[in-house]
Amino acid sequence: MDIKAIKSEEDYNQALKRLDKIFHAEVDTPEGDEAEVLSILIEKYEDEHYPIGMPDPIEAIKFRMEQMGMKQKDLAEVVGFTSRVSEILNRKRKLTLNMIRKLSSTLQIPTEVLVQDY
């Protein structure tokens, strides 16, 4: 096992190729241990060089509604009137703090996603 820190794109690509070869190695074997360490190093490199931002609040709401099979009328029970839901989803009305709390609880969307500007 010859593992080193991933400091460049070339190191990153080599680590990915090696992990691809040993990905299904048995746990508690030399190759299994190598795969585990490589995956940690790769994840660290990706977090630093390819960060993923938080989703747009309105898109997050729409996505969760779709996942949960909710319609706008269902969301009206959370934030008020159906017309208010429509205004929010069309970005004509901003979310209030009270709405954010209710949406976070009901849709299980982190509040840090919902409080972002949009």
Side-chain angles (χ1 to χ4, degrees):
M1 179 165 50
D2 184 28
I3 296 179
K4 60 180 184 169
I6 300 174
K7 297 180 181 178
S8 68
E9 199 68 24
E10 183 180 336
D11 292 343
Y12 172 69
N13 288 326
Q14 288 176 353
L16 286 174
K17 286 178 187 174
R18 178 63 183 153
L19 183 60
D20 189 46
K21 289 180 183 178
I22 61 172
F23 186 76
H24 295 290
E26 299 265 338
V27 176
D28 293 329
T29 64
E31 283 190 337
D33 292 344
E34 182 182 0
E36 185 176 350
V37 172
L38 272 177
S39 65
I40 292 167
L41 292 173
I42 289 168
E43 181 179 7
K44 181 182 182 299
Y45 184 85
E46 289 174 344
D47 288 347
E48 291 174 3
H49 293 86
Y50 306 108
I52 298 173
M54 285 195 282
D56 175 81
I58 302 305
E59 294 305 315
I61 292 169
K62 290 177 181 178
F63 180 73
R64 280 301 284 155
M65 286 175 64
E66 183 179 320
Q67 282 184 320
M68 298 171 75
M70 293 178 76
K71 304 276 187 232
Q72 285 190 16
K73 64 179 174 75
D74 301 321
L75 201 57
E77 296 174 14
V78 179
V79 298
F81 305 102
T82 305
S83 60
R84 185 171 295 152
V85 173
S86 181
E87 290 173 345
I88 290 167
L89 296 180
N90 289 313
R91 301 171 188 269
K92 294 180 181 176
R93 177 184 291 267
K94 296 286 186 183
L95 295 169
T96 66
L97 185 57
N98 192 37
M99 288 179 198
I100 289 170
R101 287 181 179 137
K102 289 179 180 179
L103 288 167
S104 177
S105 175
T106 303
L107 301 178
Q108 298 299 305
I109 299 173
T111 54
E112 52 270 11
V113 169
L114 296 172
V115 297
Q116 297 179 95
D117 284 332
Y118 58 92

